[in-house]
Structures are given as structure tokens and as C-alpha cells.
Amino acid sequence: MRSAKLVELWRGGQRESLHRGHAVICDDKGVVEAWGDPSRIVFPRSSCKMVQALPLIESGAAEAAGLTSRQLALACGSHSGGRIHVEAVAGWLDGLNLTEPDLRCGAHMPRDRDENRRLTCSDQPPCQFHNNCSGKHAGFLTLNRHLRGGPDYVAPDHPAQRAVKQTFEEVTGETSPGHGIDGCSAPNWSCSLEGLARAMAAFARPGGDRRGRAMRQLVDAMRAHPELVAGEGRACTVLMRAMRGSAAVKTGAEGVFVAILPDQGLGVAVKITDGATRASEAAITAILLHLGALEAADPAVSRFLTGPIRNWRGLVTGEMRRARGFPS
């Protein structure tokens, strides 16, 4: 099946750009709605951090370390590297008697404007705490401490990553065709988009067993602390606040976005074929609006989907639109 037309950019009364992609909505029985090809194999990238965090709880590592819901939210997050994030991850590692060099995620300049300005003006380089994935890696280190593994916890054959792979395949219901190395150096296992949506549906309607309790903990943590999952002004944070904690959403690089809707027992997965973040944000907003999780009048809808595009002078130059037929 071909990709579907999902999001358009219009300027001067003409369509300037078109973003194609695939989108799937699943419940606990399977596909509810789909656009494009549900069997499309994708790298979930950071959208699957909730899955990667399951062994942290299921192993008993989180309880043994006394992790809070804030730390669990960070483990699921792709944060902006603000002081709130950096200090939280630093404190987490300090509680494990570990330090910044124990991380294996690498360093990059933070997305948070204030912290970026502070580093730039002080001529101070960023550290690994600023990495948007440092919360996930703090979770890996906590799991690794519990498993008594070696220091290279991002190696695909490390006990921590073997646990992640096994969990990933169980919740997606698929044998992964392989993995790539993510921007933070951890393995990222591929699956079908349907498998990813099916995993999100499992988080939306978890059982009462150990895995179900772990899923519920992670979703509750994300909904309670949206500012730790991303950051001020970021789509994940803005959308979760707009939905007033009724759902959890998570972005991933290269145009991936997922949603977990506990009230409806639904999981959503989106992949934009050209990898555009603006299109994945618009597409997930359109689906959340379609499912009634967002109100049409909410500013978040205007911000990511229906609002005007302005240039540097503030002039309206265009608009994003849902492609005809998406969602139905």
C-alpha cells in the first residue's frame, strides 16, 4: 500500500508542500482505522521510550532505587535540556553514586532557550545531562545497576538492551527485523507501524499483571509531568496539557508520533515519510481532534494544525491543512 496524503502547506491560495505518511489507530483487538500502510516498517525512535522503560520497573530496579513519578516521566521523555531537566537527571545519578561520565548518550546544546543562552554566554560546553535522552539513559543505568551489568549499557548484547528488545517484541507482538543506532547511541528496534500502535493500545488498556502495572505507572507519570517529557512550548508538553492529563503523547525523530488514550483504550502511531516534525505534530493533532481527545477551540489545535503561518514581520503567509480524507 502507498503512503497517504496527510498534511499540506498552503501559501497564496496554492498548495506549496505536501507531507505523505502512514497512521494507525489500534485497540486491544487490532486496527480500528488506518491511513497509508499499517504494515510499514519503521524505527520508532524516541516515541517508544515508554516501552524501553518497562524493564526498569518490571525488573524491580525502579522500586529498589526508590524512583519517583518525576523520574519515570524523565525516563520516557525527550527533554529540552532546561535547568529543570539537567538538575533532575544529575540528582538521579547522584542518588546512584554515579556521575555524568557514566552516561553513554553524548552531549549536545540544549533546546531550552534559557539554558542554551547561559551556556553560550558563559562559553561553557554542554554536558551529557543536556542530552534530550539523558533521562532514558539514567533509567538504563538504574536497570544496569540492578542487573549488575558492565558499563557499556548501550551495547545491543548488554543485558539491559536484551531486556529492552525482548520487551519491545512482546508488546508490539512482532519479531523485530533489526535495529539501528539511535542519536543517543542506544539500539532502536524496528517494527511495523501497526505493531507500534498496538503497543500504545496496550499502554492505554493495561492488565492487572506486573507488566500492566508498569505500563500504568509510566503513563500516569507522563500525564502528571508533561514538562519533563519534553519542555515548555514543545508539542508533547503542550498537547498533554491541552488534554488535561487524559492522554499521553510522545514524539520521535524522523516524523514519528504516538498517542496513548486510556479513556478510549486506543493507541495511535504516525510516521511521516519525509521525516518532517511539523507534519507529525500536525498529523497527531488531527487524529486527537478526530478522536475527541482535543477540543477544536483549544489553542494547541491552532498552534500545530489550523493556525496561520507567519513570517518574521508577523504577516500571515500561509497555513497548514489536513489533506482531504485525513482523518475521515
Side-chain angles (χ1 to χ4, degrees):
M1 293 176 62
R2 294 184 63 199
S3 59
K5 298 177 181 179
L6 300 184
V7 179
E8 301 174 346
L9 175 66
W10 284 71
R11 184 187 304 268
Q14 301 178 59
R15 191 177 73 183
E16 181 176 29
S17 299
L18 169 66
H19 297 287
R20 303 183 67 97
H22 312 271
V24 187
I25 303 172
C26 282
D27 62 11
D28 56 0
K29 296 181 180 61
V31 176
V32 175
E33 288 186 82
W35 299 265
D37 184 5
S39 66
R40 168 70 182 268
I41 299 300
V42 302
F43 286 112
R45 303 297 296 270
S46 288
S47 75
C48 71
K49 284 183 177 177
M50 302 80 78
V51 178
Q52 293 172 313
L54 282 173
L56 172 63
I57 298 177
E58 292 180 342
S59 67
E63 183 178 7
L67 297 189
T68 66
S69 64
R70 291 177 59 83
Q71 290 166 320
L72 294 179
L74 278 168
C76 298
S78 298
H79 65 71
S80 298
R83 295 310 299 170
I84 186 176
H85 308 113
V86 170
E87 291 173 358
V89 176
W92 183 349
L93 262 62
D94 185 62
L96 297 173
N97 293 317
L98 297 172
T99 59
E100 187 265 354
D102 290 303
L103 292 168
R104 295 291 185 270
C105 54
H108 62 72
M109 285 296 284
R111 187 166 178 169
D112 180 84
R113 289 184 178 181
D114 291 340
E115 184 66 2
N116 190 299
R117 185 183 300 111
R118 186 187 72 81
L119 293 175
T120 300
C121 293
S122 64
D123 199 26
Q124 180 181 343
C127 69
Q128 292 185 97
F129 293 144
H130 292 102
N131 188 297
N132 73 98
C133 294
S134 64
K136 178 180 80 172
H137 281 249
F140 285 156
L141 281 170
T142 306
L143 174 62
N144 187 38
R145 171 67 62 87
H146 194 72
L147 297 177
R148 299 181 181 179
D152 192 17
Y153 63 85
V154 294
D157 61 351
H158 189 280
Q161 298 305 326
R162 290 204 302 269
V164 169
K165 180 191 177 188
Q166 179 179 340
T167 302
F168 181 81
E169 293 183 329
E170 289 172 355
V171 298
T172 59
E174 300 175 356
T175 298
S176 175
H179 75 278
I181 301 302
D182 216 332
C184 66
S185 298
N188 196 251
W189 297 92
S190 61
C191 66
S192 72
L193 198 65
E194 177 183 348
L196 183 58
R198 185 165 49 241
M200 297 305 108
F203 275 89
R205 195 62 58 85
D209 58 0
R210 180 176 61 180
R211 172 152 297 165
R213 293 192 297 272
M215 287 177 166
R216 190 172 289 106
Q217 276 186 269
L218 292 170
V219 173
D220 287 348
M222 292 176 69
R223 293 190 293 176
H225 308 288
E227 73 283 356
L228 299 180
V229 176
E232 297 304 322
R234 300 272 304 283
C236 292
T237 300
V238 172
L239 289 171
M240 283 194 282
R241 285 176 176 167
M243 293 184 287
R244 296 169 178 81
S246 66
V249 297
K250 184 68 187 71
T251 189
E254 294 301 318
V256 182
F257 225 119
V258 300
I260 300 167
L261 292 88
D263 292 346
Q264 301 179 49
L266 298 176
V268 180
V270 170
K271 167 65 179 180
I272 303 299
T273 56
D274 63 14
T277 297
R278 72 175 183 186
S280 66
E281 293 173 349
I284 199 71
T285 301
I287 291 176
L288 293 171
L289 188 61
H290 170 64
L291 294 174
L294 278 173
E295 296 180 3
D298 194 283
V301 176
S302 175
R303 179 168 187 166
F304 298 113
L305 180 61
T306 62
I309 296 174
R310 297 180 182 275
N311 67 9
W312 296 111
R313 289 186 60 202
L315 301 177
V316 175
T317 60
E319 62 179 330
M320 299 285 280
R321 296 182 186 176
R322 291 172 284 184
R324 182 174 298 178
F326 173 71
S328 56

